[in-house]
Amino acid sequence: GAVVSQHPSWVICKSGTSVKIECRSLDFQATTMFWYRQFPKQSLMLMATSNEGSKATYEQGVEKDKFLINHASLTLSTLTVTSAHPEDSSFYICRGAQDSNTEAFFGQGTRLTVV
Amino acid sequence: AQKVTQAQTEISVVEKEDVTLDCVYETRDTTYYLFWYKQPPSGELVFLIRRNSFDEQNEISGRYSWNFQKSTSSFNFTITASQVVDSAVYFCALSEQGGSEKLVFGKGMKLTVNP
């Protein structure tokens, strides 16, 4: 199956700093990228949906100025957690889709710890 | 609105036992897709199955089988002769249309298989 490569797999950062997470589609063009967040022992919740070349659409309750999403190319989407705080510590995972008729694929996930 | 309910939160079995994970969904769409994912302790999401709403045939893949019943809006997953390696959190999910739309996840069910 298609591959979405997500990096880093884990990161520890200091409170107040920013962290960038990258998702690359290796063998297909990801027209759409979904970004999910999973707090410990909870389910995955959609944060935002981005389409290549367009502004991301954020789910209710997700701060767009805090979670910056860039999807400038068909093979790369990034999520930047700005001014991170301990409550942002979570598992972040992307899911790339080529079009509405094909399956979408998850990245490996990034475990963010803010200290 | 779409909703996925996994009523069981945690199940513990002994190796070689059969176990069924329940999933009940709600949607107003006539076309939709149902998924099961496995999330081992490492965190990545392992795709298990994708089924569209027009295909009610049950499916078997090795020790895994799925029972899709539109009449009860259920998509249950059975593991036969469970193994320790099956220990993980299992998520049922639902999406609209072509399957590459956003996924709505159930809360997940933690399965522990003891030797």
Side-chain angles (χ1 to χ4, degrees):
Chain A
V3 176
V4 173
S5 178
Q6 182 171 347
H7 293 279
S9 56
W10 61 270
V11 57
I12 301 173
C13 72
K14 290 186 176 180
S15 189
T17 62
S18 296
V19 173
K20 180 184 282 189
I21 300 169
E22 289 189 352
C23 278
R24 293 181 183 274
S25 55
L26 300 185
D27 51 2
F28 71 102
Q29 294 183 323
T31 308
T32 303
M33 193 70 76
F34 303 95
W35 287 93
Y36 292 84
R37 178 169 58 183
Q38 183 184 30
F39 291 111
K41 297 187 179 182
Q42 294 190 24
S43 188
L44 292 93
M45 299 299 292
L46 181 67
M47 298 176 65
T49 303
S50 70
N51 291 299
E52 183 265 338
S54 304
K55 287 185 178 180
T57 302
Y58 290 81
E59 296 297 302
Q60 193 172 10
V62 178
E63 301 173 59
K64 62 179 182 180
D65 294 330
K66 181 171 183 62
F67 298 99
L68 302 179
I69 291 173
N70 185 292
H71 194 167
S73 79
L74 288 171
T75 58
L76 175 64
S77 179
T78 61
L79 167 67
T80 301
V81 183
T82 63
S83 187
H85 290 284
E87 55 265 32
D88 298 323
S89 298
S90 185
F91 185 70
Y92 294 86
I93 191 165
C94 62
R95 179 170 175 257
Q98 183 167 358
D99 57 50
S100 60
N101 294 316
T102 57
E103 180 51 81
F105 299 91
F106 280 99
Q108 297 92 334
T110 298
R111 199 167 298 280
L112 169 64
T113 302
V114 185
V115 298
Chain B
Q2 297 183 324
K3 185 179 178 182
V4 176
T5 301
Q6 293 179 256
Q8 310 141 311
T9 54
E10 202 163 340
I11 294 179
S12 184
V13 300
V14 177
E15 213 170 13
K16 296 185 182 178
E17 281 187 46
D18 298 346
V19 58
T20 296
L21 287 59
D22 298 331
C23 174
V24 174
Y25 63 92
E26 295 176 31
T27 180
R28 293 179 180 174
D29 296 313
T30 54
T31 302
Y32 52 89
Y33 286 74
L34 294 162
F35 300 76
W36 275 97
Y37 286 92
K38 174 182 179 180
Q39 187 178 42
S42 54
E44 79 272 19
L45 286 171
V46 178
F47 170 81
L48 296 178
I49 191 170
R50 171 195 187 216
R51 175 54 52 87
N52 75 53
S53 53
F54 297 108
D55 183 3
E56 286 193 74
Q57 281 192 342
N58 292 330
E59 181 153 341
I60 297 174
S61 176
R63 296 184 297 107
Y64 296 167
S65 62
W66 290 269
N67 184 312
F68 178 25
Q69 292 196 354
K70 288 179 77 171
S71 60
T72 56
S73 296
S74 65
F75 188 44
N76 296 337
F77 171 34
T78 297
I79 302 175
T80 302
S82 59
Q83 299 176 1
V84 174
V85 293
D86 295 327
S87 297
V89 179
Y90 290 86
F91 289 97
C92 181
L94 169 70
S95 77
E96 303 170 345
Q97 304 296 332
S100 62
E101 299 297 320
K102 64 180 184 182
L103 287 177
V104 174
F105 284 86
K107 291 188 175 182
M109 201 287 297
K110 182 179 180 182
L111 173 65
T112 301
V113 181
N114 298 300

